[in-house]
Amino acid sequence: QVQLVESGGGLVQPGGSLRLSCAASGFAFSSSPMSWYRQAPGKERELVARISSAGGIKKYADSVKGRSTISRDNAKNTVYLQMNSLKPEDTAVYYCNARTVVGFKEYEHWGQGTQVTVSS
């Protein structure tokens, strides 16, 4: 069974940094693009960053571009999100996302999420 487990969230002051981790299992991680999403209270879930299977292509939401870096270690089946210069607007639950394909069907998988709170 596909499992995604996020960690690394916490309470940080504005301007601080965090590195989020997502440990994956149960699928061909090295062949799968991975993404980070976030959802703040009362708001829709939004895409933060995504990375191609080999890590060569990375895309970011405008709101985090220049402050965040997505990376992956396929040997460890782990994807990371380094977040710097954090702002209160970054406060949200951050989710790891994976998409897998079996035949003609596509499946979407989510972790439980990790809370990031940016406050002084």
Side-chain angles (χ1 to χ4, degrees):
Q1 181 63 46
V2 173
Q3 289 191 341
L4 303 171
V5 181
E6 301 95 335
S7 62
L11 174 64
V12 296
Q13 296 183 0
S17 298
L18 284 174
R19 189 181 74 160
L20 309 183
S21 298
C22 172
S25 62
F27 67 104
F29 177 83
S30 62
S31 300
S32 301
M34 299 293 296
S35 300
W36 285 97
Y37 287 75
R38 68 184 181 186
Q39 187 168 26
K43 297 184 178 180
E44 295 185 3
R45 188 169 299 188
E46 65 172 341
L47 176 66
V48 177
R50 60 185 179 187
I51 186 169
S52 60
S53 59
I57 302 174
K58 303 175 182 180
K59 300 187 71 174
Y60 302 92
D62 289 340
S63 58
V64 304
K65 190 175 299 181
R67 301 187 295 118
S68 300
T69 302
I70 188 170
S71 62
R72 66 192 297 160
D73 186 340
N74 285 349
K76 296 182 178 180
N77 282 14
T78 302
V79 62
Y80 306 93
L81 182 66
Q82 176 70 42
M83 304 181 67
N84 303 319
S85 301
L86 284 163
K87 306 175 180 179
E89 308 92 269
D90 296 317
T91 296
V93 178
Y94 285 71
Y95 298 92
C96 184
N97 171 268
R99 292 178 180 267
T100 62
V101 177
V102 179
F104 65 92
K105 295 188 68 176
E106 184 178 78
Y107 300 87
E108 190 166 53
H109 311 279
W110 299 93
Q112 295 295 320
T114 184
Q115 176 72 50
V116 172
T117 302
V118 185
S119 179
S120 58

